[in-house]
Amino acid sequence: MAKVSVGLRGWRFEESEIFTEEGEFKPLDEIPEDPRQRLLRLSMLVEKPCQACYLVHGEENVERCRQAKIVYGEPLNEVVLCEVHEADFLYWFREAGGREFVGDELFRDEFQEWFADGGRAPDGYAGMEHVDTDPDNMPSPPDANELQERINEEFDGERIDLREYGPDAAEAGADGVDDADDADDEGDEPEELDFEGVDLGQQYPRK
């Protein structure tokens, strides 16, 4: 089956799981749970700035941050990056111990801490070569408002709040109050990728 990225490169979806034969997004209740959660999360991430850029420029200069183009990790614990900083992430993952945090709730935090402490890929470090067969027609997920409307219509009385998939959801405390996370608030993961093969078609490694 063909796999596609939606909105951001990285997470890969089986076309048949999320699209109708006419190429439209399926109703949410017809999409399997894992791709549905990723699709919901993507609707919150597609307009986010690169997290590495945000760590460099901060809120006061957020307009200088590049928009994220790729996502790594798992929903609510993902790293979103611009093409410039993707090599830094890949170096951290491959060479600086990042691989050990795959599937760990510290995955995003560990990368951000490494980067904030000055961690960078060496000059000339090869990132990942992406092959876009039709980059101008890469589908975009429905926006958050459209998804919320679909959810309310499709889940027969069961209301799902998209804020549960927002950038602070992973840090919410037991009392329902979100814990602050400076970079995640503004800067807020590939389909699961095998970085050894450097192939976006592969599944992201899990523990």
Side-chain angles (χ1 to χ4, degrees), residues 4-45:
V4 295
S5 293
V6 176
L8 299 174
R9 288 198 304 267
W11 289 345
R12 306 278 283 174
F13 297 86
E14 295 285 356
E15 283 188 287
S16 61
E17 291 185 339
I18 65 172
F19 293 117
T20 65
E21 293 183 358
E22 292 74 29
E24 300 292 332
F25 280 102
K26 289 182 175 182
L28 290 174
D29 59 355
E30 295 182 12
I31 299 176
E33 182 178 1
D34 182 73
R36 182 173 70 237
Q37 289 180 347
R38 292 176 186 269
L39 188 61
L40 288 166
R41 183 63 176 151
L42 277 169
S43 74
M44 313 297 291
L45 297 175

Side-chain angles (χ1 to χ4, degrees), residues 49-67 186:
C50 166
Q51 290 176 3
C53 285
Y54 185 81
L55 289 170
V56 171
H57 299 297
E59 175 61 25
E60 64 275 11
N61 293 305
V62 68
E63 71 280 355
R64 299 180 60 185
C65 298
R66 301 176 188 88
Q67 186 171 333
E186 299 299 330

Side-chain angles (χ1 to χ4, degrees), residues 77-99:
N77 194 21
E78 67 281 312
V79 177
V80 292
L81 301 154
C82 66
E83 293 170 333
V84 172
H85 285 118
E86 183 182 11
D88 295 319
F89 172 86
L90 293 174
Y91 180 81
W92 169 78
F93 186 90
R94 297 165 175 163
E95 313 292 344
R99 188 184 302 274

Side-chain angles (χ1 to χ4, degrees), residues 1-195:
M1 293 184 183
K3 285 183 176 286
V4 295
S5 293
V6 176
L8 299 174
R9 288 198 304 267
W11 289 345
R12 306 278 283 174
F13 297 86
E14 295 285 356
E15 283 188 287
S16 61
E17 291 185 339
I18 65 172
F19 293 117
T20 65
E21 293 183 358
E22 292 74 29
E24 300 292 332
F25 280 102
K26 289 182 175 182
L28 290 174
D29 59 355
E30 295 182 12
I31 299 176
E33 182 178 1
D34 182 73
R36 182 173 70 237
Q37 289 180 347
R38 292 176 186 269
L39 188 61
L40 288 166
R41 183 63 176 151
L42 277 169
S43 74
M44 313 297 291
L45 297 175
V46 290
E47 300 298 328
K48 291 292 184 182
C50 166
Q51 290 176 3
C53 285
Y54 185 81
L55 289 170
V56 171
H57 299 297
E59 175 61 25
E60 64 275 11
N61 293 305
V62 68
E63 71 280 355
R64 299 180 60 185
C65 298
R66 301 176 188 88
Q67 186 171 333
K69 296 295 185 181
I70 190 163
V71 55
Y72 289 109
E74 297 298 322
L76 301 178
N77 194 21
E78 67 281 312
V79 177
V80 292
L81 301 154
C82 66
E83 293 170 333
V84 172
H85 285 118
E86 183 182 11
D88 295 319
F89 172 86
L90 293 174
Y91 180 81
W92 169 78
F93 186 90
R94 297 165 175 163
E95 313 292 344
R99 188 184 302 274
E100 68 181 272
F101 296 103
V102 169
D104 193 299
E105 62 182 10
L106 297 176
F107 181 79
R108 177 176 57 193
D109 293 342
E110 288 292 332
F111 169 71
Q112 290 181 346
E113 182 176 345
W114 175 83
F115 187 89
D117 285 344
R120 299 291 188 276
D123 290 343
Y125 182 79
M128 182 174 290
E129 182 178 351
H130 300 285
V131 179
D132 292 328
T133 56
D134 196 1
D136 293 334
N137 290 319
M138 186 168 67
S140 296
D143 64 29
N145 290 333
E146 181 180 349
L147 281 172
Q148 186 71 69
E149 291 176 3
R150 289 191 187 188
I151 290 169
N152 292 340
E153 290 173 359
E154 296 169 10
F155 283 85
D156 194 20
E158 177 185 355
R159 297 184 64 85
I160 300 177
D161 191 343
L162 279 181
R163 288 175 298 183
E164 295 177 3
Y165 296 87
D168 297 328
E171 288 78 32
D175 58 358
V177 178
D178 291 347
D179 297 325
D181 186 322
D182 295 340
D184 296 343
D185 286 348
E186 299 299 330
D188 291 318
E189 164 205 263
E191 166 79 44
E192 305 156 292
L193 298 178
D194 181 353
F195 292 98

